Every structure is written in C-alpha cells, then in structure tokens.
Amino acid sequence: MNTLLTDEEMIRQYLSSQPQKCFETLYSRYVNKVYRRCLSMTKSSEQAEDFTHDIFLKAFTKLNAFQERSSFSTWLYSIAFNYCADQMRAGKRFIASSVEESLRHDMADEQESSFHEEAILFVKQAMATLSTTEQALLQLKYEQDMSIDEIAQIYQLTPSAVKMRLKRSRDKIYQLYNGQSA
C-alpha cells in the first residue's frame, strides 16, 4: 500500500479491495492525534485509550459513507470530538479545559511566581464559566490549530458563525479579566 497517497486517495483506491490495509494505514496516521484529543477532553489516559479505540471502530464502520466534503482528518476529528462529548455528557462529567494544562507545561521551565499561579487560576476559572461548546471551539482553534472552515464543517455552521462564536467566547474571558483586575 502506497503510504504517499493522501487519505482520500487511499480510501478511494483501497477501501473496497484491501479494507484491512486501508484501515491500518489510516489508524497509524491518526491514532496519536485522536488519543491526544480524547485525553484533552477526558483527562484520563485509560478512558482516552478506550475512547480512541471506539472512535476508530466507529469511523471504520462509517468509512464507506465518507463523502469527501471535508478532509478525512476533519471528518475523523469531528467523530472524535462528538463521541467524547457524548460520552462525557452521558457520564455527566465536566469537560476540563486543557488550556490550564498547556500553561502549566509552558511554565514548568520558569519559576512559579505568584503572578503565574494567578494567571493559571484565572484561565481555569474563565474557561469554567464557558459552555462546553465555547470551550471546544476555543480548543479546536487555539490548541488544535484548526481553521475556521474546518471548525465550521465539524459543527455544521457557516464560517462567519464560527468567527462570531469565537469572538463572543474571547469577549467573555476579556470581560472577566477586566472585571477581576479593576
């Protein structure tokens, strides 16, 4: 199997003739990214592993329905996000923000001053005030580096609607910050 093929080319050429090879190649390309997405939402490596396996099984069973309206990776991340969000809602668990985790890792090399601790606490509190969807939009845009168009496809929104929701979420955080620092 030619690993130089794009995901979409591989699906078109090999899904019907060599489905196992096609799945194995796609799995090896994306398993770590899907796992990291699950881990950022669940904060549990064991749960993230379980979710990752479930997501790939779900994606593989739906692979013949993939219509290339978006890239394969966007399609897969959409399945991953929706699956994790559904599982978290079903378990009534809070989807924790990985923003504070990113800040903690970035600052691990620096001295932990009271200012940095306050910044982490503020980000954690600010993210907790946002809805699950608002948190997810910010994470997809700023942590996963997804484009506005990719996010729009995942949520079945127009790009302008995604931009507006991101702006409103950022504005909420700015208002909280200005209210706290006043």
Side-chain angles (χ1 to χ4, degrees), residues 1 7-23 26 59-66 75:
M1 177 150 315
D7 301 330
E8 295 77 16
E9 290 169 336
M10 184 177 344
I11 292 167
R12 281 192 302 269
Q13 290 183 17
Y14 295 107
L15 182 60
S16 60
S17 62
Q18 299 177 37
Q20 188 65 31
K21 290 259 189 210
C22 180
F23 178 74
L26 294 171
F60 187 64
T61 60
K62 293 182 172 193
L63 199 53
N64 59 352
F66 173 62
W75 181 78

Side-chain angles (χ1 to χ4, degrees), residues 55-140:
I55 289 162
F56 274 99
L57 287 174
K58 187 173 188 165
F60 187 64
T61 60
K62 293 182 172 193
L63 199 53
N64 59 352
F66 173 62
Q67 296 177 358
E68 295 187 48
R69 282 187 240 149
S70 63
S71 69
F72 173 77
S73 60
T74 299
W75 181 78
L76 180 62
Y77 295 149
S78 173
I79 290 173
F81 174 81
N82 291 330
Y83 182 84
C84 289
D86 290 347
Q87 294 302 311
M88 299 300 283
R89 271 192 298 275
K92 294 183 181 170
R93 293 185 177 92
F94 176 71
I95 298 179
S97 164
S98 62
V99 171
E100 85 244 17
E101 198 64 34
S102 297
L103 278 175
R104 192 173 297 126
H105 288 302
D106 291 345
M107 293 186 331
D109 298 333
E110 301 175 22
Q111 291 182 335
E112 297 258 336
S113 69
S114 63
F115 173 77
H116 290 152
E117 291 171 10
E118 288 175 24
I120 291 174
L121 182 60
F122 172 76
V123 169
K124 189 185 260 186
Q125 290 170 341
M127 288 297 285
T129 66
L130 300 177
S131 72
T132 301
T133 302
E134 290 170 322
Q135 289 178 29
L137 285 171
L138 289 171
Q139 289 172 336
L140 290 173

